[in-house]
């Protein structure tokens, strides 16, 4: 005869099923289609600045070493060109633990229709933030103000001197940064040192004082969620991705509607729809925010 007491005890000790890592519906809807991709590409290609005072929007990327800043620039370029690109030299993920691979301040122009034709926005690639070395926060503040010229080599020991040939003593609106983009890797948000986070917050405060719009790009989403690694379309139904975005929000103080999770092109050598759509969604908003800032500055100056 079955021992009901024994059966009941064994039944009660069975652990409850783990909660599903996926939401029933996407909390941020995305249209995953070639048609939507084409519409966003067309909007960017047709975009023009509405003022002669600024001929190109300047987008500054900053964040810890290995966050994927250079890879994001290459990914944007890959989406816009429809082919594999490597304009911004990037290091492999296995070789970024010690020092930043990027050492110079450089504007990356993105080709448009043909020779000599470029999009009216540029991305700025800079040295990564490190706990004890890396780019000086004062140099990033100088970039925000428009004081540093293209080609400057960063010195971790100290910021640029005013007598340096790459120092712009009289910057105008066209020399300033028009949108600040913080880049953080999803799988290492909680491992980012307090000192690096403090430096990023210091830069954000300077951008806030200048009225510069701010966006956070959360890279390497496939490294933190098996669902997303298998199917990028699950990115906004993944509880893990939302949790990591909330970590970004709480750590840097950036609102959720200014945080964009993406997967950079890394192993791929041909374009993929889902990667392209996520990158275009982020890029479109970055450009619109930057343009809004420029127009606001012109009408208030």
């Amino acid at each position: 005869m079955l021992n009901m007491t024994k059966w009941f005890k064994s039944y009660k000790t069975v652990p409850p099923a783990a909660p599903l890592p996926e939401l029933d519906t996407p909390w941020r809807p995305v249209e995953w289609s070639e048609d939507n991709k084409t519409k966003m590409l067309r909007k960017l290609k047709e975009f023009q600045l509405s003022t002669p005072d600024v001929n190109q929007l300047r987008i500054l990327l900053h964040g810890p070493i290995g966050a994927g800043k250079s890879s994001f620039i290459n990914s944007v370029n890959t989406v816009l060109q429809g082919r594999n690109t490597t304009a911004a030299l990037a290091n492999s993920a296995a070789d970024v633990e010690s020092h930043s691979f990027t050492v110079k301040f450089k504007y990356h122009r993105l080709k448009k229709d043909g020779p000599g034709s470029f999009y009216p926005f540029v991305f700025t690639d800079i040295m990564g933030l490190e706990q004890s070395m890396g780019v000086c926060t004062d140099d990033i503040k100088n970039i925000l103000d428009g004081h540093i010229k293209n080609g400057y080599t960063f010195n971790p020991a100290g910021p640029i001197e005013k007598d340096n040939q790459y120092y712009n003593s009289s910057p105008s609106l066209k020399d300033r940064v028009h949108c600040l983009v913080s880049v953080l890797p999803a799988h290492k948000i909680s491992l980012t040192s307090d000192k690096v986070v403090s430096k990023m917050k210091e830069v954000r405060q300077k951008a806030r004082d200048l009225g510069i719009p701010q966006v956070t790009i959360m890279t390497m989403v496939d490294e933190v969620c098996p669902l997303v690694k298998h199917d990028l379309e699950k990115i906004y139904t993944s509880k893990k991705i939302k949790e990591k975005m909330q970590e970004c929000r709480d750590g840097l103080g950036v609102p959720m509607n200014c945080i964009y999770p993406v997967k950079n092109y890394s192993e791929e050598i041909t374009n993929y729809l889902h990667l392209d759509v996520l990158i275009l969604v982020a890029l479109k908003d970055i450009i619109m925010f930057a343009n809004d800032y420029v127009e606001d500055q012109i009408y208030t100056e």
Side-chain angles (χ1 to χ4, degrees), residues 16-236:
L20 290 173
E22 187 177 3
L23 301 168
D24 293 332
T25 56
W27 63 273
R28 183 183 283 179
V30 175
E31 184 183 337
W32 306 99
S33 69
E34 287 289 347
D35 183 56
N36 186 38
K37 172 184 166 180
T38 300
K39 286 178 182 178
M40 288 190 286
L41 282 170
R42 185 186 305 120
K43 187 170 184 177
L44 288 166
K45 184 164 282 192
E46 293 173 352
F47 171 75
Q48 292 183 345
L49 285 158
S50 57
T51 170
D53 297 336
V54 175
N55 57 6
Q56 57 187 12
L57 298 174
R58 296 192 171 189
I59 317 301
L60 172 63
L61 274 63
H62 81 130
I65 59 170
K69 298 180 294 297
S70 300
S71 294
F72 180 70
I73 295 173
N74 287 334
S75 296
V76 166
N77 203 21
T78 292
V79 176
L80 294 178
Q81 306 305 321
R83 60 175 177 83
N84 194 18
T85 62
T86 58
L89 298 180
N91 213 4
S92 70
D95 192 32
V96 295
E97 297 301 327
S98 55
H99 298 292
S100 177
F101 191 66
T102 302
V103 295
K104 282 194 173 184
F105 177 61
K106 183 177 180 180
Y107 287 116
H108 290 278
R109 295 192 299 173
L110 307 173
K111 292 180 182 180
K112 194 176 180 183
D113 297 317
S117 175
F118 298 92
Y119 283 91
F121 47 85
V122 295
F123 281 89
T124 305
D125 200 13
I126 67 171
M127 193 176 199
L129 285 162
E130 301 176 40
Q131 187 163 339
S132 58
M133 296 289 286
V135 62
C136 296
T137 52
D138 284 343
D139 267 344
I140 306 180
K141 293 177 184 178
N142 279 320
I143 294 170
L144 291 171
D145 276 322
H147 285 303
I148 297 184
K149 299 177 183 177
N150 194 43
Y152 171 69
T153 299
F154 294 104
N155 180 7
I160 191 172
E161 300 287 344
K162 291 186 177 181
D163 59 353
N164 191 293
Q165 63 174 322
Y166 290 100
Y167 187 83
N168 180 4
S169 57
S170 303
S172 63
L173 178 59
K174 68 180 180 62
D175 302 308
R176 297 182 213 156
V177 167
H178 306 125
C179 185
L180 174 67
V181 178
S182 304
V183 183
L184 283 172
H187 66 311
K188 291 186 177 180
I189 293 173
S190 59
L191 300 177
T192 305
S193 72
D194 292 341
K195 193 162 186 179
V196 168
V197 172
S198 178
K199 288 179 178 180
M200 294 181 73
K201 285 184 175 180
E202 187 179 339
V203 172
R204 287 195 63 242
Q205 287 168 1
K206 171 67 175 180
R208 176 203 62 193
D209 294 342
L210 294 172
I212 296 172
Q214 302 177 39
V215 162
T216 295
I217 295 294
M218 191 178 78
T219 61
M220 307 183 198
V221 292
D222 55 318
E223 296 291 331
V224 295
C225 180
L227 277 172
V228 173
K229 190 177 185 69
H230 177 70
D231 183 1
L232 203 56
E233 196 168 324
K234 302 280 190 181
I235 195 161
Y236 289 123

